[in-house]
Amino acid sequence: MAIKEWFDQGHKTCPVTGRTLKCHTLPTTSFVLKRAIDHWKSEHRRNLLASACQIEGNQSAHEIRSTDERAILVLEQLLFCSTAEDRCASVKHLISLGGLQYLTQRFELGKLDEKTHIAALLSCCIESDGGCRNYLAKSLNKACLSELLYNKQVRSKTNGMLLLTELICLNRRTEITAFLVSLKKEGTMNIMHVLLVYLQCCLPDQKPLAAVLLLHLDLMVTPQKHSIYREEAVDSIAVALKSSLTNEKIRKNCCKALLILGGKFPLSGELLTESWCLRQAGFYDQDSKTNSLGNVEDCLSIDKTIPLEEDELKTTEDWWKNLASLLLGNGNKSFLEIISKCLGSKNLYLVRTCLITVTWMSHALGLLPDIDFHLAAFSALLPQLKQILLNDGSIEHKVLASTSLLNFTKITECRMLLMTIGEEILVSLQSLAGVTWTSKQLFQIISGES
């Protein structure tokens, strides 16, 4: 870039010697040399990864407890000073060398500063290979994880919080509960207080993720009682949602937080709530070339390949019901209003995330007894859901909107309100009727065919 700038300024001499140059433009990239350099980097990265894991692999127990952080520093440089593609490849190679076992051991034996670095490395491992999430959730020392949260250093708290956020994205809700119970042994109320203080002081883009953690812990301890923890968490999510309309950095973490709240995770731990919602609506999966028409009883299935136990079904439904009443109850209209505004956003990722949230939330509302509560939610969301069916160009968005409306029709009062304006969306629903069973059923309800 410096050479290019030198030529762009009109210079025809060498800036060092002052001699006139025969060529006054940048030469064509040597792709042969570039490939040789990339190959060298790849080979040496693999060697360095292996060396990092072996630095302490042959040491005695006493030596392992030493303050030597060379291996961790080498790994940190390799993973965080490379492209996303190279980082992913390095992480997978690191895991194949037994790197996770090595990192969890150092996480337990190292001092605070080393634990802080390792927490960031483990989050990087999960991001690159979600398959290691379950192993870490079971193997990681919970007392050491709590130590990061209790520490006064902001970086330690942040890295600990981000790692915890990743670790609750487990395959089943019962597994998430079991993980939180293991944290409870380290003093859940103390952790909740630490998270509350962190939530009040952290950067705006970190607030939605911290709020999600706080809600998980709070609902496990006192699901039926008023709590300042959940009140602060819900308010933080609402504020973050409002900011996400204009702030991209906040939007990214806010969307992730919403997906975690109602999340469906395969064994890899990826956030696939949208795929789950579309599949349950009967949306044709172009990738698998199969029609995944489902039924109402199967709508909570997390993974078609894994039988859904009764405990898992109940735990998932209880979680959704508690969340729905928490986010929308007690006259709290701010969350509804901002979700409605987000549904009208021009950012497709934000719209889709909010649609996914409304889809599982509308299902949960049908399981709750408070009718006025349901009507308030339906009235706030109906205009935007209708506009999405009428004007949105994304078929996935229309499928999610029709599924949400179908969920609301299971509530008598909401169904009657929908019938009064339903004719406006009949044409759109008719075009979707051959795509999903939810759209077909909603069309039949509104048109009076059923």
Side-chain angles (χ1 to χ4, degrees):
M1 292 305 296
I3 295 172
K4 182 178 184 301
E5 184 179 354
W6 177 262
F7 285 139
D8 288 344
Q9 292 172 356
H11 298 292
K12 298 182 179 181
T13 60
C14 171
V16 178
T17 66
R19 294 179 180 177
T20 301
L21 298 172
K22 295 181 179 179
C23 180
H24 304 145
T25 59
L26 288 177
T28 303
T29 301
S30 174
F31 292 102
V32 174
L33 180 60
K34 185 178 186 303
R35 281 196 297 269
I37 293 173
D38 290 341
H39 177 71
W40 184 91
K41 286 168 56 181
S42 176
E43 288 300 313
H44 281 261
R45 184 181 298 113
R46 293 173 69 88
N47 293 337
L48 283 170
L49 284 171
S51 299
C53 289
Q54 292 171 1
I55 285 177
E56 305 196 29
N58 299 320
Q59 295 178 346
S60 65
H62 174 73
E63 290 172 322
I64 287 177
R65 294 177 182 274
S66 70
T67 58
D68 188 358
E69 298 180 4
R70 287 175 298 160
I72 300 302
L73 294 177
V74 169
L75 290 174
E76 191 171 41
Q77 288 294 315
L78 285 172
L79 297 184
F80 292 118
C81 296
S82 58
T83 64
E85 184 179 356
D86 287 341
R87 182 163 55 249
C88 183
S90 296
V91 164
K92 291 181 178 179
H93 184 59
L94 174 65
I95 293 173
S96 71
L97 294 170
L100 286 182
Q101 293 84 345
Y102 165 71
L103 288 174
T104 53
Q105 182 187 52
R106 289 306 308 165
F107 188 70
E108 184 172 350
L109 300 176
K111 291 188 176 181
L112 177 67
D113 190 52
E114 189 174 357
K115 285 181 171 66
T116 302
H117 289 292
I118 293 172
L121 287 172
L122 291 175
S123 293
C124 180
C125 288
I126 294 173
E127 181 183 354
S128 299
D129 187 351
C132 65
R133 184 182 272 103
N134 278 49
Y135 169 81
L136 292 175
K138 294 176 182 177
S139 305
L140 213 57
N141 187 298
K142 307 305 186 297
C144 294
L145 196 52
S146 300
E147 182 184 346
L148 290 180
L149 296 176
Y150 293 145
N151 193 267
K152 293 181 179 180
Q153 295 185 17
V154 175
R155 186 181 180 188
S156 297
K157 286 179 182 293
T158 300
N159 288 1
M161 185 274 295
L162 292 175
L163 179 56
L164 260 179
T165 302
E166 294 292 348
L167 292 176
I168 61 173
C169 300
L170 298 173
N171 180 241
R172 298 183 173 210
R173 181 56 55 182
T174 47
E175 291 176 346
I176 297 173
T177 302
F179 174 75
L180 293 174
V181 168
S182 68
L183 271 182
K184 185 178 181 181
K185 297 177 181 178
E186 305 303 326
T188 303
M189 294 304 294
N190 290 334
I191 295 177
M192 286 167 58
H193 181 70
V194 168
L195 282 174
L196 177 62
V197 174
Y198 177 84
L199 179 61
Q200 294 170 338
C201 304
C202 67
L203 295 174
D205 64 293
Q206 299 296 335
K207 287 183 181 293
L209 296 178
V212 164
L213 277 178
L214 195 54
L215 280 179
H216 273 80
L217 291 167
D218 184 74
L219 287 174
M220 183 185 69
V221 177
T222 54
Q224 305 302 329
K225 298 180 180 179
H226 173 75
S227 164
I228 188 170
Y229 298 108
R230 72 186 58 170
E231 183 177 323
E232 188 77 22
V234 173
D235 287 345
S236 295
I237 292 175
V239 171
L241 267 174
K242 185 175 182 180
S243 300
S244 68
L245 289 168
T246 55
N247 188 305
E248 183 178 355
K249 195 172 182 179
I250 295 177
R251 183 189 306 134
K252 180 181 178 181
N253 280 344
C254 197
C255 289
K256 183 175 182 179
L258 287 179
L259 291 172
I260 291 174
L261 279 180
K264 292 291 182 184
F265 310 103
L267 291 176
S268 65
E270 298 170 6
L271 293 169
L272 295 180
T273 318
E274 178 193 4
S275 299
W276 173 86
C277 289
L278 292 173
R279 187 184 68 194
Q280 301 312 321
F283 185 67
Y284 189 83
D285 188 345
Q286 295 293 338
D287 294 327
S288 64
K289 305 298 182 185
T290 58
N291 194 322
S292 54
L293 286 173
N295 54 62
V296 177
E297 287 72 20
D298 188 47
C299 72
L300 295 179
S301 177
I302 293 177
D303 191 327
K304 294 278 188 178
T305 63
I306 302 175
L308 187 67
E309 296 91 348
E310 185 176 344
D311 287 346
E312 175 66 21
L313 177 63
K314 184 179 185 305
T315 304
T316 303
E317 282 195 334
D318 288 344
W319 171 253
W320 279 345
K321 287 189 293 184
N322 286 333
L323 268 183
S325 59
L326 179 64
L327 294 172
L328 307 180
N330 302 319
N332 182 6
K333 294 184 178 180
S334 61
F335 185 82
L336 287 173
E337 291 172 354
I338 192 60
I339 280 283
S340 181
K341 289 181 180 179
C342 289
L343 288 175
S345 168
K346 294 183 179 180
N347 184 276
L348 297 181
Y349 182 55
L350 180 61
V351 171
R352 188 165 297 191
T353 302
C354 290
L355 272 173
I356 293 166
T357 302
V358 171
T359 301
W360 66 256
M361 192 177 292
S362 61
H363 173 84
L365 291 175
L367 305 174
L368 294 170
D370 193 335
I371 300 302
D372 292 335
F373 170 75
H374 298 163
L375 279 174
F378 184 66
S379 300
L381 298 171
L382 179 58
Q384 287 297 349
L385 292 176
K386 184 178 72 172
Q387 287 303 312
I388 289 171
L389 279 172
L390 291 174
N391 302 317
D392 200 301
S394 168
I395 188 171
E396 288 88 354
H397 289 187
K398 291 185 177 183
V399 169
L400 292 172
S402 64
T403 302
S404 299
L405 290 172
L406 179 63
N407 288 335
F408 277 117
T409 62
K410 298 170 186 176
I411 305 165
T412 303
E413 285 75 7
C414 295
R415 182 169 178 165
M416 293 173 61
L417 181 58
L418 179 61
M419 296 292 286
T420 62
I421 54 91
E423 291 186 3
E424 299 177 54
I425 59 176
L426 280 178
V427 174
S428 180
L429 286 175
Q430 190 172 26
S431 67
L432 290 173
V435 179
T436 66
W437 70 270
T438 52
S439 302
K440 181 178 181 180
Q441 190 170 344
L442 183 61
F443 174 80
Q444 291 174 340
I445 290 173
I446 296 176
S447 63
E449 293 183 14
S450 64

